[in-house]
Amino acid sequence: MQKFEIQGGISVDGEVTISGAKNAVLPILAAGILATTPMTIRNVPRLKDVKTLSAVLAGMGITVDTNDDNDISIDNDTLNSCCAPYDLVRTMRASILVLGPLVARYGEAEVSLPGGCAIGSRPVNLHISGLEAMGAEVTVHEGYIRAKAKRLKGALINMELVSVTGTENLLMAAVLAEGTTTIENAAREPEVSDLAHCLIAMGAKITGIGTDTLVIDGVEALQGCDYSVLPDRIETGTYLAAAAITGGRVKTLKADVQGLDAVLQKFKEAGAKLSTGKDWIELDMRGRTLKAVDIRTDPYPAFPTDMQAQFMAMNAVSQGIGVVVETIFENRMMHVAELMRMGANIRLEGNTAIVAGMPTLYGAPVMATDLRASACLILAALAAEGKTTVNRIYHTDRGYEKIEQKLTGIGANIVRVN
Ligand code: UD1
């Protein structure tokens, strides 16, 4: 199994070009199922999760062409099955995103029920009840969700909880349904909006984009389109955090400046100097003192759960005490124990972590437990004295394109070893 070896204590300095957003490209790939003509998706990050979803689509007979330019072309003319099997879905829960498009376009879907995962039980009840509200007949049997509908019907759906992939699945189902669908309490994450813009480019009729109420007028058919995925705001935040935690400077290029408001606010509170342009963000921490900040995760536009672990690492080496409250997932604090192995002073009370900043952390062998936990440990290692070995970096590869090249480019000492 591969690991990262990181020699810490170096202030990073330089520019990082941001990749396309993982959480936008996954639903947009699934949206390819809805099109009657081929489509091209650009700015696709080369990630394990993208490979997994491509394999799910290819497994259905869909032609998925990947070239070296971060573009993917999809042609579903060759589709011969509506099944997403357990072996693939269990490695990536977001495979559930094919459910809505399959029922909407082909009238049937058979998708393995994703199991629990490291950060929580993560049920998909809202995906299922939303499809049922649109008239689909859904059964869950032998670990599979089986859904059928001649043609879905528009419905009023009030999401009991804000769910990102839940909103996306129902949005993709509604675009081909007969009549109008209203999704209330919809997720407002920029990736949901990116999917909606892609669907509009395919011919869908959607209003309320970026608000918590999406109104969709179903159409008879959608065409393929040529769409470029928005930049990854979590990757952006992670590289800015690398500058903050090492007392360095990073300019993120080709970044989305809009989607990171709550995170940028917290960087400022932590003492960082920030500058932004149309598509870049620079964080300068040189000569400044990192201060602990309180964090509470919530759905967009509040502070994202996907940046919680990175700020935990920052708090661990800051001045003062920061309280971190995780409200989205029930078990997303597993990086705490690993940070403590590096000398962090953290008290965990349920989903609240009270972090007392230490002057430094010390390199140690640590283990990544999930994608963002792996980012947290890499950041901690960059700031720590001595060498850290981060194990289980297959989690990192799910969501960070070329992370060691990008970090090396800003002066970090990180190598991948087998
Ligand atoms: C998406 C993101 C993930 C991010 C998360 C929260 C993708 C591919 N992944 O995950 O990176 O951390 O949003 O911003 O976009 N829930 C239910 N029933 C459901 C659906 C969700 O109870 O049917 C609960 C979940 O268990 C969780 C909360 O709702 O506690 C939010 O989850 P959700 O927004 O659905 O997360 P994902 O879409 O899986």
Side-chain angles (χ1 to χ4, degrees), residues 5 11 28 109 114 121 133 141 151 199 210 316 329 333 335 358:
E5 281 180 0
S11 292
I28 288 171
S121 61
H141 189 55
R151 183 171 179 197
L199 291 168
F329 293 112
M333 288 287 184
H335 39 287
M358 302 298 284

Side-chain angles (χ1 to χ4, degrees), residues 212-412:
D212 65 358
T213 305
L214 292 170
V215 180
I216 305 110
D217 282 322
V219 297
E220 295 286 331
L222 295 172
Q223 290 80 47
C225 68
D226 190 317
Y227 195 80
S228 184
V229 175
L230 99 165
D232 197 309
R233 66 195 163 104
I234 305 302
E235 189 198 23
T236 307
T238 303
Y239 286 106
L240 296 177
I245 202 167
T246 63
R249 181 196 70 98
V250 164
K251 185 172 183 181
T252 52
L253 307 176
K254 292 194 182 171
D256 176 30
V257 183
Q258 314 300 327
L260 264 173
D261 272 2
V263 174
L264 297 187
Q265 194 50 44
K266 284 293 167 187
F267 276 127
K268 277 187 199 154
E269 229 180 286
K273 181 180 164 207
L274 282 166
S275 337
T276 55
K278 193 169 151 275
D279 64 351
W280 58 266
I281 307 173
E282 182 181 88
L283 188 149
D284 193 347
M285 202 69 204
R286 291 171 302 181
R288 292 167 167 257
T289 303
L290 189 63
K291 288 177 273 183
V293 286
D294 293 340
I295 300 290
R296 181 190 156 91
T297 66
D298 265 315
Y300 190 84
F303 192 92
T305 175
D306 286 349
M307 279 301 296
Q308 178 258 101
Q310 296 88 320
F311 269 72
M312 187 88 79
M314 281 166 51
N315 273 348
V317 291
S318 63
Q319 201 174 72
I321 294 178
V323 177
V324 178
V325 182
E326 171 59 49
T327 75
I328 307 287
F329 293 112
E330 68 262 36
N331 194 25
R332 204 172 205 182
M333 288 287 184
M334 281 175 300
H335 39 287
V336 167
E338 297 301 301
L339 283 177
M340 287 170 72
R341 300 189 61 258
M342 299 176 74
N345 183 353
I346 305 175
R347 196 168 84 234
L348 198 54
E349 292 176 2
N351 271 340
T352 299
I354 300 123
V355 191
M358 302 298 284
T360 189
L361 296 177
Y362 298 94
V366 290
M367 192 176 77
T369 47
D370 62 74
L371 169 58
R372 305 306 168 186
S374 79
C376 157
L377 297 174
I378 290 168
L379 291 172
L382 293 176
E385 252 178 48
K387 188 175 100 177
T388 297
T389 308
V390 183
N391 292 284
R392 301 206 177 166
I393 58 166
Y394 55 85
H395 290 296
T396 320
D397 294 333
R398 284 191 40 219
Y400 289 94
E401 187 180 43
K402 298 180 183 158
I403 189 166
E404 66 268 43
Q405 286 95 318
K406 290 189 185 188
L407 282 174
T408 304
I410 53 174

Side-chain angles (χ1 to χ4, degrees), residues 22-23 26 93-94 97 119 121-127 161-166 168 189 305-306 328-330 332 372:
K22 168 180 90 72
N23 287 354
L26 297 176
R93 302 177 44 80
L97 284 165
I119 62 174
S121 61
R122 299 178 84 174
V124 290
N125 55 307
L126 301 173
H127 303 234
L161 273 173
V162 179
S163 166
V164 175
T165 49
E168 291 164 347
E189 269 65 4
T305 175
D306 286 349
I328 307 287
F329 293 112
E330 68 262 36
R332 204 172 205 182
R372 305 306 168 186

